[in-house]
Amino acid sequence: MTAGKQARLERLGTGDRYVIVPMDHGITLGAVDGLVDLEGTVNAVTRGGADSILTQRGVADRVHPNKNGAGYVVHLNGSTSLGPDENDKRRTATVEDAIRAGADAVSFHINVGSEYEPDQLTELAAVTSDAERYGIPVLAMAYARGHDVRDDDPAGFAEDLGHAVRLAEEVGADIVKTAYSGTPETFERVVESTALPVVIAGGSKGTDVETLSIVSGAMDAGAAGVSMGRSIFQHEDPEAIVSAVSAVVHEDVPADEAAAAAGLAVEV
């Protein structure tokens, strides 16, 4: 690994653990709650302890003045909820575009097991090749999605997620994001499938303690952190929830204690 890539990777996390807040959802969903005042949300989550922010390149000028020294990732593909198939992610930027936007890293989404996998695999491989020339880290968002994916069986789903994260490593990614398989025991299989740091997506919204318990379970299984979007930026108190997530990821604080310390409701 080059010194430049190592330096950029260090800007994305803290001590090899990562709290990444993706806010690229404007291209998918439009100006939803939490993204209208993007500047205020970026400021809040980075004050709360987010290590890095992820967006599409077009809003970089709204991110940089408000990210409080956090790292910055530019996402390179996308789709809309209004289109024929949201899983059909298409290129929206190049590695050079991301560099011009001031990115410390780039990210790319691939749906392993979907009909779009072949094209997305080819595109991800091209991104990692381009990024290697510039010493730019690549975060692969590698999901298992398709009619043969066993998402109704935690053990089978973990095997499929393990295939997805290994694919990311095989084509040259530096960090990989994927779904949580449901339990720490099954997620161990995902983590052991790759030598890359594995971060989990936010998943469906639950209570604050439920969200934090998922994070804690993933960390117990060997995850390196989180890349959580709507669970954070659409929270009624984004600064508080990211503070709690950061405590779980970086300090191994139990979920209920992290919630209480951040001033969040602890359901009984």
Side-chain angles (χ1 to χ4, degrees):
M1 182 182 296
T2 65
K5 179 182 279 191
Q6 183 61 47
R8 294 180 182 97
L9 272 172
E10 290 173 0
R11 291 200 286 270
L12 301 184
T14 303
D16 297 324
R17 291 190 175 188
Y18 304 88
V19 176
I20 303 167
V21 181
M23 288 187 270
D24 58 312
H25 302 66
I27 199 168
T28 306
L29 302 173
V32 295
D33 290 346
L35 298 183
V36 176
D37 178 15
L38 181 64
E39 294 85 350
T41 304
V42 169
N43 186 30
V45 300
T46 52
R47 283 198 318 264
D51 293 306
S52 46
I53 299 297
L54 182 154
T55 73
Q56 294 278 343
R57 65 184 168 110
V59 295
D61 59 341
R62 301 178 65 181
V63 172
H64 285 297
N66 301 288
K67 64 184 181 66
N68 297 304
Y72 182 47
V73 185
V74 167
H75 196 52
L76 302 186
N77 64 342
S79 60
T80 78
S81 59
L82 300 176
D85 192 336
E86 195 174 317
N87 287 326
D88 185 9
K89 306 289 184 181
R90 300 296 180 99
R91 282 290 288 267
T92 56
T94 66
V95 173
E96 287 189 358
D97 291 331
I99 292 169
R100 284 192 291 268
D104 299 305
V106 297
S107 60
F108 193 88
H109 183 126
I110 178 171
N111 292 312
V112 180
S114 77
E115 64 182 293
Y116 309 109
E117 176 199 295
D119 289 338
Q120 290 172 353
L121 173 58
T122 301
E123 290 281 340
L124 175 58
V127 165
T128 61
S129 293
D130 290 344
E132 187 65 26
R133 287 198 295 272
Y134 294 104
I136 297 292
V138 177
L139 164 62
M141 300 184 182
Y143 293 91
R145 292 177 177 169
H147 67 276
D148 290 329
V149 172
R150 294 164 287 178
D151 53 6
D152 58 348
D153 168 25
F157 191 37
E159 290 288 337
D160 295 337
L161 293 173
H163 190 167
V165 300
R166 184 53 178 261
L167 177 153
E169 180 181 5
E170 296 279 348
V171 297
D174 301 285
I175 308 174
V176 59
K177 169 182 178 177
T178 198
Y180 185 56
S181 55
T183 66
E185 294 75 22
T186 58
F187 201 68
E188 287 181 1
R189 175 60 180 142
V190 181
V191 173
E192 71 182 13
S193 299
T194 178
L196 297 182
V198 178
V199 298
I200 64 163
S204 57
K205 184 172 172 54
T207 68
D208 293 335
V209 171
E210 286 171 344
T211 296
L212 294 168
S213 295
I214 289 171
V215 176
S216 182
M219 299 304 294
D220 288 345
V226 303
S227 176
M228 301 178 72
R230 283 174 284 182
S231 298
I232 289 177
F233 73 73
Q234 289 194 319
H235 193 277
E236 61 183 11
D237 191 341
E239 184 173 353
I241 188 63
V242 81
S243 175
V245 169
S246 182
V248 174
V249 169
H250 291 303
E251 301 171 38
D252 298 315
V253 176
D256 56 348
E257 293 181 21
L264 299 169
V266 180
E267 299 81 0
V268 294

